[in-house]
Amino acid sequence: MTTHSGRHFLQIPGPTNVPDRVLRAMSAPTIDHRGPEFAALVRELLPALGPVFGTERPVVIYPSSGTGAWEAALVNTLSPGDRVLASETGHFATLWAKLATGLGLDVELIPGDWRHGADPDAIADRLAADEEHAIKAVCVVHNETSTGVTSRVPAVRAAMDAEAHPALLLVDTISSLASIDYRHDEWGVDVTVAGSQKGLMLPPGLGFNAVSAKALAAHADARLPRSYWDWTPILDANASGAFPYTPATNLLFGLREALAMLNEEGLPAVFARHQRHGAATRAAVRAWGLEVLCADEREHSGSLTAVLLPNGHDADEVRRVILERFDMSLGSGLGRLAGTVFRIGHLGHFNDLTLAGTLSGVQMGLQLAGVPTKPGGVEAALELLREAGE
Ligand SMILES: Cc1ncc(COP(=O)(O)O)c(C=O)c1O
């Protein structure tokens, strides 16, 4: 293996680069999770977490990956055989639907082309036809990490309201939270699912559920088996600054620091930064003469961009060349997109010059891998960054 100097460029769309401040905060001695110092940490953390989700309601924290938080959202609100409506926006929406089926739920996955977000009209049609209100939940992946497409959650909510349908709205924000504007309370979301390893700038290992009053009411009657994921013992313990089982103490130290960083920058500025970086990346891709996978101008992701390669070119070969020559990791094409797209992560702890370096590596890698490209992609991005910064 080649030896590289300098820092590795981790430009996959999560896990993302962990800021030094967060790393330092985590490298502290683990404390007694039943002691007063830990209780003070929990009492500080929980209220500080709400604004990131846009909620004044409780947020449950799990020592888990995002998949655990997916499962938690379902087992806490639904019963065996309940109907669930989901949209096939990409690999992660498909995996969530598969997980739901595995739990004994009756899932309808509205087919999609993996280039668009959840279609509010298609959801409205299914809900309108469901006169008996057999559908108990609508699941939406806010930002499809496999495609770089952001679904319009408020439009989905409006479609549900227009049909006066009582289904719960469950939203996966694993690659949008703290990167793309998101409002749990204002948008009427019932359960928001999140993870630590993307916009929150932490290592993998924490999962989250933000819970509406309606979701908590559904929880009281839900009959899917649950134990580890059960919200009730967690919410009860949280009230006294504790958890019902050993929490991921050092990740919580990191979370406190990451929330402080997000507050210092301000969430609106964080969202605007991600949008600028998305726009600059698309400017580069288009100047190279390549295609962005997302096919709807309203749905471009601020946290990642998936780039389609021309027929006959292997996206994994481009990624291999870039890793070997420039020590940069890019996201692979997932599921049916394997080999045809690569994904540029521009989320989390990231700035204009990190993006400039990232796009320079991509441009050189495309040329070295023999992908026909026009020059000027990096220049197009720099121009946009310079102007947008004025
Ligand atoms: C949108 C989305 N949902 C769910 C997951 C699964 O999360 P995890 O891999 O942390 O279990 C991911 C992982 O990247 C994701 O991007």
Side-chain angles (χ1 to χ4, degrees), residues 63-150:
S64 79
S65 80
T67 302
W70 264 350
E71 178 158 338
L74 299 170
V75 297
N76 275 288
T77 53
L78 299 169
S79 298
D82 275 356
R83 283 189 62 199
V84 171
L85 187 61
S87 300
E88 189 205 351
T89 50
H91 183 67
F92 290 104
T94 307
L95 282 183
W96 196 11
K98 197 168 156 206
L99 185 151
T101 305
L103 290 171
L105 296 165
D106 175 12
V107 183
E108 182 188 357
L109 190 60
I110 301 172
D113 66 358
W114 293 38
R115 299 192 70 172
H116 293 83
D119 178 357
D121 294 335
I123 292 172
D125 288 349
R126 300 308 194 280
L127 296 178
D130 179 35
E131 285 169 12
E132 310 290 311
H133 292 169
I135 297 172
K136 299 298 179 201
V138 174
C139 292
V140 177
V141 174
H142 183 212
N143 187 68
E144 204 10 291
T145 324
S146 60
T147 62
V149 177
T150 306

Coordinates of all heavy atoms in Angstrom, one line a residue, residues 63-150:
P63 N -27.6 4.0 22.3 CA -26.3 3.6 21.9 C -26.4 2.6 20.7 O -26.4 1.4 20.9 CB -25.7 2.9 23.1 CG -26.8 2.6 24.0 CD -28.1 3.2 23.4
S64 N -26.6 3.2 19.5 CA -26.9 2.3 18.3 C -26.5 3.0 17.0 O -26.3 4.2 17.0 CB -28.4 2.0 18.3 OG -29.1 3.1 17.7
S65 N -26.5 2.3 16.0 CA -26.4 2.9 14.6 C -27.8 3.4 14.2 O -28.8 3.2 14.9 CB -25.9 1.8 13.6 OG -26.9 1.0 13.2
G66 N -27.8 4.0 13.1 CA -29.1 4.5 12.6 C -30.1 3.4 12.4 O -31.3 3.6 12.6
T67 N -29.7 2.2 12.0 CA -30.6 1.1 11.8 C -31.4 0.8 13.0 O -32.6 0.5 13.0 CB -29.9 -0.1 11.2 OG1 -29.2 0.3 10.1 CG2 -30.8 -1.3 10.9
G68 N -30.7 0.9 14.2 CA -31.4 0.7 15.4 C -32.5 1.7 15.7 O -33.6 1.4 16.1
A69 N -32.2 2.9 15.3 CA -33.2 4.0 15.5 C -34.4 3.8 14.5 O -35.5 4.2 14.8 CB -32.5 5.4 15.3
W70 N -34.1 3.3 13.3 CA -35.2 2.9 12.4 C -36.2 1.9 13.1 O -37.4 2.0 13.1 CB -34.6 2.2 11.2 CG -34.3 2.9 10.0 CD1 -34.7 4.2 9.6 CD2 -33.6 2.4 8.8 NE1 -34.2 4.5 8.4 CE2 -33.6 3.4 7.9 CE3 -33.0 1.1 8.6 CZ2 -32.9 3.2 6.6 CZ3 -32.4 1.0 7.3 CH2 -32.3 2.0 6.4
E71 N -35.5 0.9 13.6 CA -36.3 -0.2 14.3 C -37.1 0.4 15.4 O -38.3 0.1 15.6 CB -35.4 -1.4 14.7 CG -36.2 -2.5 15.4 CD -35.5 -3.8 15.4 OE1 -34.6 -4.0 14.5 OE2 -35.8 -4.6 16.3
A72 N -36.4 1.2 16.2 CA -37.1 1.8 17.4 C -38.4 2.6 17.0 O -39.4 2.5 17.6 CB -36.1 2.7 18.1
A73 N -38.3 3.3 15.9 CA -39.4 4.2 15.5 C -40.6 3.3 15.2 O -41.8 3.6 15.5 CB -39.0 5.0 14.2
L74 N -40.3 2.1 14.6 CA -41.4 1.2 14.2 C -42.0 0.4 15.4 O -43.2 0.4 15.6 CB -40.9 0.2 13.1 CG -40.4 0.9 11.8 CD1 -39.8 -0.2 10.9 CD2 -41.6 1.5 11.0
V75 N -41.1 -0.2 16.2 CA -41.6 -1.1 17.3 C -42.3 -0.3 18.4 O -43.1 -0.8 19.1 CB -40.5 -2.0 17.9 CG1 -39.9 -2.9 16.8 CG2 -39.4 -1.2 18.5
N76 N -42.0 1.0 18.5 CA -42.6 1.8 19.5 C -44.0 2.3 19.2 O -44.7 2.8 20.0 CB -41.7 3.0 19.9 CG -40.7 2.6 20.9 OD1 -41.0 2.4 22.1 ND2 -39.4 2.5 20.5
T77 N -44.3 2.3 17.9 CA -45.6 2.9 17.4 C -46.6 2.0 16.8 O -47.7 2.4 16.6 CB -45.3 4.1 16.5 OG1 -44.5 3.6 15.4 CG2 -44.5 5.2 17.1
L78 N -46.1 0.8 16.4 CA -47.0 0.0 15.5 C -47.2 -1.4 16.1 O -46.5 -1.9 17.0 CB -46.3 -0.2 14.1 CG -46.1 1.2 13.4 CD1 -45.2 1.1 12.2 CD2 -47.5 1.8 13.0
S79 N -48.2 -2.1 15.5 CA -48.6 -3.5 16.0 C -48.4 -4.5 14.8 O -48.5 -4.1 13.6 CB -50.0 -3.5 16.4 OG -50.1 -2.6 17.5
P80 N -48.3 -5.8 15.1 CA -48.1 -6.8 14.1 C -49.2 -6.7 13.0 O -50.4 -6.5 13.3 CB -48.2 -8.1 14.8 CG -47.8 -7.8 16.2 CD -48.3 -6.4 16.5
G81 N -48.8 -6.7 11.7 CA -49.7 -6.7 10.6 C -50.2 -5.3 10.2 O -50.9 -5.1 9.2
D82 N -49.8 -4.2 10.9 CA -50.2 -2.9 10.6 C -49.6 -2.5 9.2 O -48.5 -2.9 8.8 CB -49.5 -1.8 11.5 CG -50.4 -1.6 12.8 OD1 -51.5 -2.2 12.9 OD2 -49.9 -0.9 13.7
R83 N -50.4 -1.8 8.4 CA -50.0 -1.3 7.1 C -49.1 -0.1 7.2 O -49.4 0.8 7.9 CB -51.2 -1.1 6.2 CG -51.7 -2.4 5.7 CD -52.8 -2.2 4.6 NE -52.2 -1.6 3.5 CZ -52.9 -1.0 2.5 NH1 -54.2 -0.9 2.6 NH2 -52.3 -0.5 1.5
V84 N -48.0 -0.1 6.4 CA -47.1 1.0 6.4 C -46.9 1.4 4.9 O -46.7 0.5 4.1 CB -45.7 0.5 7.0 CG1 -44.7 1.6 6.8 CG2 -45.9 0.2 8.5
L85 N -46.9 2.7 4.6 CA -46.7 3.2 3.3 C -45.3 3.8 3.2 O -44.9 4.6 4.1 CB -47.7 4.2 2.9 CG -47.8 4.7 1.5 CD1 -48.1 3.6 0.5 CD2 -48.9 5.8 1.4
A86 N -44.5 3.4 2.2 CA -43.1 4.0 2.1 C -42.9 4.3 0.6 O -43.6 3.7 -0.3 CB -42.1 3.0 2.6
S87 N -41.9 5.1 0.3 CA -41.6 5.4 -1.1 C -40.2 4.9 -1.4 O -39.3 5.2 -0.7 CB -41.6 7.0 -1.3 OG -42.9 7.4 -0.9
E88 N -40.1 4.3 -2.6 CA -38.8 3.7 -3.0 C -37.9 4.8 -3.6 O -37.7 4.9 -4.8 CB -39.0 2.6 -4.0 CG -37.8 1.8 -4.3 CD -37.8 1.1 -5.7 OE1 -38.9 1.2 -6.3 OE2 -36.8 0.6 -6.1
T89 N -37.3 5.6 -2.7 CA -36.5 6.7 -3.2 C -35.0 6.3 -3.4 O -34.3 7.0 -4.1 CB -36.5 7.9 -2.2 OG1 -36.2 7.4 -0.8 CG2 -37.8 8.6 -2.2
G90 N -34.7 5.1 -2.9 CA -33.3 4.6 -3.1 C -33.0 3.5 -2.1 O -33.9 2.8 -1.6
H91 N -31.7 3.2 -1.9 CA -31.2 2.1 -1.2 C -31.7 2.1 0.3 O -32.1 1.1 0.8 CB -29.7 2.1 -1.2 CG -29.0 0.9 -0.6 ND1 -29.1 -0.3 -1.1 CD2 -28.2 0.9 0.5 CE1 -28.4 -1.2 -0.3 NE2 -27.9 -0.5 0.7
F92 N -31.6 3.3 0.9 CA -32.0 3.3 2.3 C -33.5 3.2 2.6 O -33.9 2.5 3.5 CB -31.3 4.5 3.0 CG -29.8 4.4 3.1 CD1 -29.0 5.1 2.2 CD2 -29.3 3.4 4.0 CE1 -27.6 4.8 2.3 CE2 -27.9 3.2 4.0 CZ -27.1 3.9 3.2
A93 N -34.3 3.8 1.7 CA -35.7 3.7 1.8 C -36.1 2.2 1.7 O -37.0 1.7 2.4 CB -36.4 4.5 0.8
T94 N -35.4 1.5 0.7 CA -35.7 0.1 0.5 C -35.3 -0.7 1.7 O -36.0 -1.7 2.1 CB -34.9 -0.4 -0.8 OG1 -35.2 0.5 -1.8 CG2 -35.3 -1.8 -1.2
L95 N -34.2 -0.4 2.3 CA -33.7 -1.2 3.5 C -34.7 -1.0 4.7 O -34.9 -1.9 5.4 CB -32.3 -0.7 3.9 CG -31.1 -1.2 3.1 CD1 -29.8 -0.7 3.7 CD2 -31.1 -2.8 3.1
W96 N -35.1 0.3 4.8 CA -36.1 0.5 6.0 C -37.4 -0.3 5.8 O -37.9 -0.9 6.7 CB -36.3 2.0 6.1 CG -36.9 2.5 7.4 CD1 -37.1 1.7 8.5 CD2 -37.5 3.8 7.7 NE1 -37.7 2.5 9.5 CE2 -37.9 3.7 9.0 CE3 -37.6 4.9 6.9 CZ2 -38.5 4.9 9.6 CZ3 -38.2 6.1 7.6 CH2 -38.7 6.0 8.9
A97 N -37.8 -0.3 4.5 CA -39.1 -1.1 4.2 C -38.8 -2.5 4.5 O -39.7 -3.2 5.0 CB -39.4 -0.8 2.7
K98 N -37.6 -3.0 4.1 CA -37.3 -4.4 4.4 C -37.3 -4.8 5.9 O -37.8 -5.8 6.3 CB -35.9 -4.7 3.7 CG -35.6 -6.2 3.5 CD -34.4 -6.3 2.6 CE -33.8 -7.7 2.9 NZ -32.4 -7.7 2.7
L99 N -36.7 -3.8 6.6 CA -36.7 -4.0 8.1 C -38.1 -4.1 8.6 O -38.4 -4.9 9.4 CB -35.9 -2.8 8.7 CG -35.6 -2.9 10.2 CD1 -34.3 -2.1 10.4 CD2 -36.7 -2.2 11.0
A100 N -39.0 -3.2 8.1 CA -40.4 -3.1 8.6 C -41.1 -4.5 8.2 O -41.8 -5.0 9.1 CB -41.1 -2.0 7.9
T101 N -40.8 -5.0 7.1 CA -41.4 -6.2 6.7 C -40.9 -7.4 7.6 O -41.7 -8.2 8.1 CB -41.0 -6.6 5.2 OG1 -41.4 -5.5 4.4 CG2 -41.7 -7.8 4.7
G102 N -39.7 -7.3 7.9 CA -39.1 -8.3 8.8 C -39.7 -8.3 10.2 O -39.7 -9.3 10.9
L103 N -40.2 -7.1 10.6 CA -40.8 -7.0 11.9 C -42.3 -7.5 11.9 O -42.9 -7.4 12.9 CB -40.8 -5.5 12.4 CG -39.4 -5.0 12.7 CD1 -39.5 -3.5 13.0 CD2 -38.9 -5.7 14.0
G104 N -42.8 -7.8 10.7 CA -44.1 -8.3 10.6 C -45.1 -7.3 10.2 O -46.3 -7.4 10.4
L105 N -44.6 -6.2 9.7 CA -45.5 -5.1 9.2 C -45.9 -5.4 7.7 O -45.1 -6.0 7.0 CB -44.9 -3.7 9.4 CG -44.6 -3.4 10.8 CD1 -43.6 -2.2 11.0 CD2 -45.9 -3.0 11.6
D106 N -47.0 -4.8 7.3 CA -47.5 -5.0 5.9 C -47.1 -3.8 5.1 O -47.8 -2.8 5.2 CB -49.0 -5.3 6.0 CG -49.6 -5.4 4.6 OD1 -48.9 -5.5 3.6 OD2 -50.8 -5.3 4.5
V107 N -46.0 -3.8 4.4 CA -45.4 -2.6 3.8 C -45.8 -2.5 2.3 O -45.6 -3.4 1.6 CB -43.9 -2.6 3.9 CG1 -43.3 -1.3 3.4 CG2 -43.4 -2.8 5.4
E108 N -46.3 -1.3 2.0 CA -46.4 -1.0 0.5 C -45.3 0.0 0.2 O -45.2 1.1 0.7 CB -47.7 -0.4 0.1 CG -47.8 -0.2 -1.4 CD -49.0 0.5 -1.9 OE1 -49.9 0.9 -1.0 OE2 -49.1 0.8 -3.1
L109 N -44.4 -0.4 -0.8 CA -43.3 0.4 -1.2 C -43.7 1.0 -2.6 O -43.7 0.3 -3.6 CB -42.0 -0.4 -1.3 CG -40.7 0.4 -1.5 CD1 -40.4 1.3 -0.3 CD2 -39.6 -0.6 -1.6
I110 N -44.0 2.3 -2.6 CA -44.4 3.0 -3.9 C -43.2 3.0 -4.8 O -42.1 3.6 -4.3 CB -44.9 4.4 -3.6 CG1 -46.1 4.4 -2.7 CG2 -45.3 5.1 -4.9 CD1 -46.6 5.8 -2.2
P111 N -43.2 2.4 -5.9 CA -42.0 2.3 -6.8 C -41.4 3.7 -7.2 O -42.2 4.6 -7.3 CB -42.5 1.5 -8.0 CG -43.8 0.9 -7.7 CD -44.4 1.8 -6.6
G112 N -40.1 3.7 -7.3 CA -39.5 5.0 -7.7 C -38.3 4.7 -8.5 O -37.8 3.5 -8.7
D113 N -37.7 5.8 -9.2 CA -36.6 5.6 -10.1 C -35.3 5.9 -9.5 O -34.3 5.9 -10.2 CB -36.9 6.4 -11.4 CG -36.8 7.9 -11.1 OD1 -36.6 8.3 -9.9 OD2 -36.9 8.7 -12.0
W114 N -35.2 6.1 -8.2 CA -34.0 6.4 -7.5 C -33.3 7.7 -8.0 O -32.2 8.0 -7.8 CB -33.0 5.3 -7.6 CG -33.4 4.0 -6.8 CD1 -34.6 3.5 -6.8 CD2 -32.5 3.1 -6.1 NE1 -34.6 2.4 -6.0 CE2 -33.3 2.1 -5.6 CE3 -31.2 3.1 -5.8 CZ2 -32.8 1.1 -4.8 CZ3 -30.6 2.1 -5.0 CH2 -31.5 1.1 -4.6
R115 N -34.2 8.6 -8.6 CA -33.7 9.9 -9.0 C -34.6 11.1 -8.5 O -34.3 12.2 -8.8 CB -33.5 10.0 -10.6 CG -32.6 9.0 -11.1 CD -32.2 9.2 -12.5 NE -31.4 10.4 -12.7 CZ -30.8 10.8 -13.8 NH1 -31.0 10.1 -14.9 NH2 -30.1 11.9 -13.9
H116 N -35.6 10.6 -7.8 CA -36.6 11.6 -7.3 C -36.9 11.3 -5.8 O -36.7 10.2 -5.4 CB -37.9 11.5 -8.1 CG -37.8 12.0 -9.5 ND1 -37.4 11.2 -10.5 CD2 -38.1 13.2 -10.1 CE1 -37.4 11.8 -11.7 NE2 -37.8 13.1 -11.4
G117 N -37.4 12.3 -5.1 CA -37.8 12.1 -3.8 C -39.2 11.4 -3.7 O -39.8 11.1 -4.7
A118 N -39.7 11.3 -2.4 CA -41.0 10.7 -2.2 C -42.0 11.6 -2.9 O -42.0 12.9 -2.8 CB -41.3 10.7 -0.7
D119 N -43.0 11.0 -3.7 CA -43.9 11.8 -4.5 C -45.2 12.0 -3.6 O -46.0 11.1 -3.3 CB -44.3 10.9 -5.7 CG -45.3 11.6 -6.6 OD1 -45.8 12.7 -6.2 OD2 -45.6 11.1 -7.6
P120 N -45.4 13.3 -3.2 CA -46.6 13.6 -2.3 C -47.9 13.2 -3.0 O -48.8 12.8 -2.3 CB -46.5 15.1 -2.1 CG -45.1 15.5 -2.5 CD -44.6 14.5 -3.5
D121 N -48.0 13.3 -4.3 CA -49.3 13.0 -5.0 C -49.5 11.5 -4.9 O -50.7 11.1 -4.7 CB -49.2 13.4 -6.5 CG -49.2 15.0 -6.6 OD1 -49.6 15.6 -5.6 OD2 -48.6 15.5 -7.6
A122 N -48.5 10.7 -5.1 CA -48.6 9.2 -5.1 C -49.0 8.8 -3.7 O -49.9 7.9 -3.5 CB -47.3 8.5 -5.5
I123 N -48.4 9.5 -2.7 CA -48.8 9.2 -1.3 C -50.3 9.6 -1.0 O -51.0 8.8 -0.4 CB -47.8 9.9 -0.3 CG1 -46.4 9.3 -0.4 CG2 -48.3 9.8 1.1 CD1 -45.3 10.0 0.3
A124 N -50.7 10.7 -1.5 CA -52.0 11.2 -1.4 C -53.0 10.2 -2.0 O -54.1 9.9 -1.4 CB -52.2 12.6 -2.0
D125 N -52.7 9.7 -3.2 CA -53.6 8.7 -3.9 C -53.8 7.5 -3.0 O -54.9 7.0 -2.9 CB -53.0 8.3 -5.2 CG -53.0 9.4 -6.2 OD1 -53.7 10.4 -6.0 OD2 -52.4 9.3 -7.3
R126 N -52.7 6.9 -2.4 CA -52.8 5.7 -1.6 C -53.6 6.0 -0.4 O -54.4 5.2 0.0 CB -51.4 5.2 -1.2 CG -50.4 4.8 -2.2 CD -51.0 3.9 -3.3 NE -49.9 3.3 -4.1 CZ -49.4 3.8 -5.1 NH1 -49.7 5.1 -5.5 NH2 -48.4 3.2 -5.8
L127 N -53.4 7.2 0.2 CA -54.2 7.5 1.4 C -55.6 7.7 1.1 O -56.5 7.3 1.9 CB -53.6 8.7 2.1 CG -52.1 8.6 2.6 CD1 -51.6 9.9 3.2 CD2 -52.0 7.5 3.7
A128 N -55.9 8.3 0.0 CA -57.3 8.6 -0.4 C -58.1 7.3 -0.6 O -59.2 7.2 -0.2 CB -57.3 9.4 -1.7
A129 N -57.3 6.3 -1.1 CA -58.0 5.0 -1.4 C -58.2 4.2 -0.1 O -58.9 3.2 0.0 CB -57.1 4.2 -2.4
D130 N -57.5 4.6 1.0 CA -57.5 3.8 2.2 C -58.6 4.4 3.2 O -58.4 5.0 4.2 CB -56.1 4.0 2.9 CG -56.0 3.3 4.2 OD1 -56.7 2.2 4.4 OD2 -55.3 3.8 5.1
E131 N -59.8 4.1 2.7 CA -61.0 4.7 3.5 C -61.1 4.1 4.9 O -61.6 4.8 5.8 CB -62.3 4.4 2.7 CG -62.4 5.4 1.5 CD -63.5 5.0 0.5 OE1 -64.3 4.2 0.9 OE2 -63.5 5.5 -0.6
E132 N -60.6 2.9 5.1 CA -60.7 2.2 6.4 C -59.6 2.7 7.4 O -59.5 2.3 8.5 CB -60.6 0.7 6.3 CG -61.4 0.1 5.2 CD -62.9 0.1 5.7 OE1 -63.1 -0.3 6.8 OE2 -63.7 0.5 4.9
H133 N -58.7 3.5 6.8 CA -57.5 4.0 7.6 C -56.7 2.8 8.1 O -56.3 2.8 9.3 CB -57.9 4.9 8.8 CG -58.5 6.2 8.3 ND1 -59.1 7.1 9.1 CD2 -58.5 6.8 7.0 CE1 -59.5 8.1 8.3 NE2 -59.1 8.0 7.1
A134 N -56.5 1.8 7.2 CA -55.6 0.7 7.6 C -54.2 1.1 7.6 O -53.4 0.4 8.3 CB -55.9 -0.4 6.5
I135 N -53.8 2.1 6.8 CA -52.4 2.5 6.8 C -52.1 3.3 8.2 O -52.8 4.2 8.5 CB -52.1 3.5 5.6 CG1 -52.3 2.7 4.3 CG2 -50.7 4.0 5.7 CD1 -52.2 3.5 3.1
K136 N -51.2 2.7 8.9 CA -50.9 3.3 10.2 C -49.7 4.3 10.2 O -49.5 5.1 11.2 CB -50.7 2.2 11.3 CG -51.8 1.3 11.4 CD -53.1 2.0 11.9 CE -54.3 1.1 12.1 NZ -55.5 1.8 12.1
A137 N -48.8 4.1 9.2 CA -47.6 5.0 9.2 C -47.2 5.2 7.8 O -47.3 4.3 6.9 CB -46.5 4.4 10.0
V138 N -46.7 6.4 7.5 CA -46.0 6.8 6.3 C -44.6 7.0 6.6 O -44.2 7.8 7.5 CB -46.7 8.1 5.7 CG1 -45.9 8.5 4.4 CG2 -48.1 7.8 5.3
C139 N -43.7 6.3 5.9 CA -42.2 6.4 6.2 C -41.6 7.1 5.0 O -41.8 6.8 3.9 CB -41.6 5.0 6.3 SG -42.1 4.1 7.7
V140 N -40.8 8.2 5.4 CA -40.1 8.9 4.3 C -38.6 9.1 4.8 O -38.3 9.4 5.9 CB -40.7 10.4 4.2 CG1 -39.9 11.2 3.2 CG2 -42.2 10.3 3.8
V141 N -37.7 8.9 3.8 CA -36.3 9.2 4.1 C -36.1 10.6 3.6 O -36.2 10.9 2.4 CB -35.4 8.2 3.3 CG1 -33.9 8.6 3.5 CG2 -35.6 6.8 3.8
H142 N -35.8 11.5 4.5 CA -35.7 12.9 4.1 C -34.6 13.1 3.1 O -34.9 13.7 2.0 CB -35.4 13.8 5.4 CG -35.4 15.3 5.1 ND1 -34.6 16.1 5.9 CD2 -36.0 16.1 4.3 CE1 -34.7 17.3 5.4 NE2 -35.6 17.3 4.5
N143 N -33.4 12.7 3.4 CA -32.3 12.8 2.5 C -31.8 11.4 2.1 O -31.2 10.7 3.0 CB -31.2 13.6 3.1 CG -30.1 14.0 2.1 OD1 -30.3 14.7 1.1 ND2 -28.9 13.4 2.2
E144 N -32.1 11.0 0.9 CA -31.7 9.6 0.5 C -30.2 9.6 0.2 O -29.7 10.2 -0.8 CB -32.5 9.3 -0.8 CG -32.7 7.9 -1.2 CD -32.4 6.7 -0.3 OE1 -31.2 6.4 -0.1 OE2 -33.3 6.0 0.1
T145 N -29.4 9.0 1.1 CA -27.9 9.1 1.0 C -27.4 8.3 -0.2 O -26.3 8.5 -0.6 CB -27.4 8.5 2.3 OG1 -28.2 8.9 3.4 CG2 -26.0 9.0 2.6
S146 N -28.2 7.4 -0.7 CA -27.7 6.6 -1.9 C -27.9 7.4 -3.2 O -27.2 7.1 -4.2 CB -28.5 5.3 -2.0 OG -29.8 5.5 -2.2
T147 N -28.7 8.5 -3.2 CA -28.9 9.2 -4.5 C -28.7 10.7 -4.4 O -28.6 11.3 -5.5 CB -30.4 9.0 -4.8 OG1 -31.2 9.6 -3.8 CG2 -30.8 7.6 -5.0
G148 N -28.6 11.3 -3.2 CA -28.4 12.7 -3.1 C -29.7 13.5 -3.5 O -29.7 14.5 -4.1
V149 N -30.8 12.9 -3.1 CA -32.1 13.5 -3.3 C -32.8 13.8 -2.0 O -32.9 12.9 -1.1 CB -33.0 12.6 -4.2 CG1 -34.4 13.2 -4.4 CG2 -32.4 12.3 -5.5
T150 N -33.3 15.0 -1.8 CA -34.0 15.4 -0.5 C -35.5 15.4 -0.8 O -35.9 16.2 -1.6 CB -33.5 16.8 -0.1 OG1 -32.0 16.7 0.0 CG2 -34.0 17.1 1.3

